[in-house]
Structures are given as C-alpha cells and as structure tokens.
Amino acid sequence: RKPVVLKGMELGACTTKWTVDYLCQAEGSKEVKIHVSAVPMMDFLSKNFVYRTLPFDVFVQRAAEVKHKEYFLSEDEKYYLRSVGEDARKDIADIRKQFPVLAEDVQIPEYFEKEQFFSSVFRISSAGLQLWTHYDVMDNFLIQVTGKKRVVLYSPRDAPYLYLSGTKSKVLDVDNPDLEKYPLFVKAKRYQCFLEAGDVLFIPGLWFHNVISEEFGVALNVFWKHLPAESYDKSDTYGNKDPTAASRALQILDRALKTLEELPEEYRDFYARRMVLRIQEKAYRNDYG
C-alpha cells in the first residue's frame, strides 16, 4: 500500500512513436475539451482556468510550444488534456474508445485482473504545468509515456494536515506553502519522485499526489477497482468519489454534529471530544505509530 516507481516496463511502441508529429497525424482534427490556464499552478477549487475546445492536432502543437502566436488568455498560457468519456457524466475515459489509433501502441502492465479495470485516462500537459494536490479512491498507474514529471505525494494518514476540501487540498504551492494560512502543513511528510519517459508510478488509493510537468509530455493513467465492485459509487465516472460506505458514514456524522448544536457550548465541546475518542478507538489503525 505504498507508492513505487516501476522502471523498464514493457509499454509497447508508444514510448518511441509518440512524437508531436505522430500524435497529430494519428488522431487528426477530432475536437477535444481542454483546460487552459494563464498561470502554471492550476487550482481546481478557485477554478483559475477555463475550458476550451480545439482540434486535437492543433491542441498538441500548442501544448508543445512555450510561446503561442494564437492563444485564448496569454501568449505563455498552459494547456492540459484529461480525456473523458463520450458523455462525461455517464461514461468513463477509455483510450481504446476515445483514441483508438493511439491505444494500439500501448501495452498496459497487467498487475490487476481484466474485470477490475475501471478507466484509462489519456493526459497531455504543457511544460511547467502543475496540478492541484488530490487523492483518488482507486489504485492507479501513472504511465509516463513521453516527457518528465515530478510527483509529490502524501500518505492518507497525513490528511489532517492537508486542509482538505472534498478530495482536494487547499494548499496549492507544496514547495513554498503559506504557513501562516496553513500552519499544520509542516507536519505532513513529503515523498517525491521524478518520472522519466517509460516510467510507471503506482499510486495506491487515498494517497495524495501533486503532479508537475517538467517538460511537455504524454501520460496514461490506468485505474482499477481493488475493492469489491459494490464498494464504489455507480455514478462515479472519474474514479474519485468516496466509497458508498464512506459517503454514508460522513452523512451520518454530519447529522450527529447537527444534533450536537442543540446543546450549550460546554456540553457540545465535551460530547464532541467523546465522539472523537470513540472514532479513534473503533476505527483508527493501531500500526501507524
């Protein structure tokens, strides 16, 4: 249940074939929806980016550039593609369906049973682009096909120090965090790795990760259901909705906290602390130290 970088994996012809020219020729001018950001550090919570649509070949060429003659926001804007299903609300991302020509070039490492497969997310990033820190509920491989990435990770046990909003951390700059605003962040233990073309990073479910594209690059994220299939929300097409039992537990907790508001402050504080102790006693792992 720890991240690991796998090197020397057999990934197919993609590692040598996927040049800018080949990508443009292989999938042509089909339209893709992309993120466009005027700044390198993207923030999903404040939505400091816009969604735009471009022909795939035009998008690839722009993402590979540093300065743009044609642009939406600024001449040095950053581009990011995260592939989605035909209907993003109902369908999963699957490179075999959205990018069938490129899918022929990829050999996905077989570390899970075929029936456990959930999605294969095709990603392209401009050089310098940084994605927000978040966790996914499923185990996944980040397959770095071309280019280089730096990935910063945090253990699930450090969730109390990451200032969460849903599945995402409010701490945007993990290299130079605002410790006046986020003082507990210093307690989170940082893990870091550098991915070269052809490397595969295993990211276990619930591990937080922040991804920085050191160069223009193409990657494939493969998610699979490592828990029993019924554990997952059937409406989840992105692989990041909490397991159904966890969602129910959080809803029950919210109702319990609402009930505590009926008590005076002193009593509310006392019984809230008792609830925390009960949760620690019944649900915390005892091997975390």
Side-chain angles (χ1 to χ4, degrees), residues 141-156:
F141 281 141
L142 174 55
I143 301 170
Q144 190 63 28
V145 180
T146 70
K148 297 179 181 178
K149 278 193 174 79
R150 175 166 64 98
V151 185
V152 177
L153 303 112
Y154 300 94
S155 163

Side-chain angles (χ1 to χ4, degrees), residues 158 161 183-189:
D158 284 339
Y161 315 131
L184 294 178
F185 187 71
V186 293
K187 294 187 176 185
K189 183 177 179 181

Side-chain angles (χ1 to χ4, degrees), residues 54-252:
L54 279 175
F56 181 75
D57 51 359
V58 174
F59 156 70
V60 171
Q61 289 165 344
R62 283 208 205 175
E65 298 170 345
V66 177
K67 296 283 185 185
H68 312 294
K69 290 180 180 176
E70 295 184 51
Y71 50 83
F72 296 108
L73 305 174
S74 67
E75 64 176 4
D76 55 357
E77 65 193 15
K78 305 295 183 184
Y79 297 89
Y80 171 56
L81 167 68
R82 188 258 189 232
S83 67
V84 295
E86 286 71 19
D87 182 338
R89 294 168 298 176
K90 297 178 182 177
D91 303 319
I92 58 153
D94 187 340
I95 190 173
R96 294 168 297 186
K97 294 178 181 177
Q98 288 93 45
F99 299 92
V101 177
L102 296 178
E104 292 292 317
D105 300 333
V106 182
Q107 183 176 318
I108 294 171
E110 295 184 359
Y111 278 77
F112 55 92
E113 300 297 330
K114 282 184 170 59
E115 60 269 20
Q116 290 179 290
F117 171 83
F118 176 72
S119 66
S120 50
V121 182
F122 186 62
R123 301 182 190 269
I124 297 182
S125 304
S126 293
L129 186 81
Q130 182 169 1
L131 289 182
W132 53 90
T133 304
H134 67 283
Y135 71 87
D136 302 294
V137 301
M138 295 184 191
D139 285 358
N140 70 91
F141 281 141
L142 174 55
I143 301 170
Q144 190 63 28
V145 180
T146 70
K148 297 179 181 178
K149 278 193 174 79
R150 175 166 64 98
V151 185
V152 177
L153 303 112
Y154 300 94
S155 163
R157 75 183 72 174
D158 284 339
Y161 315 131
L162 297 180
Y163 297 88
L164 298 185
S165 175
T167 62
K168 302 159 189 70
S169 170
K170 296 178 185 176
V171 184
L172 205 58
D173 191 341
V174 294
D175 296 315
N176 298 288
D178 183 343
L179 295 180
E180 285 191 11
K181 198 172 181 181
Y182 309 113
L184 294 178
F185 187 71
V186 293
K187 294 187 176 185
K189 183 177 179 181
R190 173 192 179 112
Y191 299 81
Q192 180 170 283
C193 65
F194 292 87
L195 300 181
E196 306 276 342
D199 287 349
V200 178
L201 173 62
F202 169 57
I203 307 176
L206 306 184
W207 272 78
F208 296 88
H209 45 287
N210 180 289
V211 182
I212 303 99
S213 296
E214 304 270 324
E215 301 174 341
F216 163 78
V218 184
L220 184 66
N221 243 158
V222 181
F223 293 83
W224 66 92
K225 297 178 178 180
H226 63 286
L227 301 177
E230 62 271 16
S231 302
Y232 300 99
D233 187 326
K234 287 183 173 57
S235 68
D236 185 7
T237 57
Y238 284 81
N240 59 7
K241 285 190 178 181
D242 291 317
T244 51
S247 295
R248 289 200 309 272
L250 289 168
Q251 289 169 2
I252 292 167

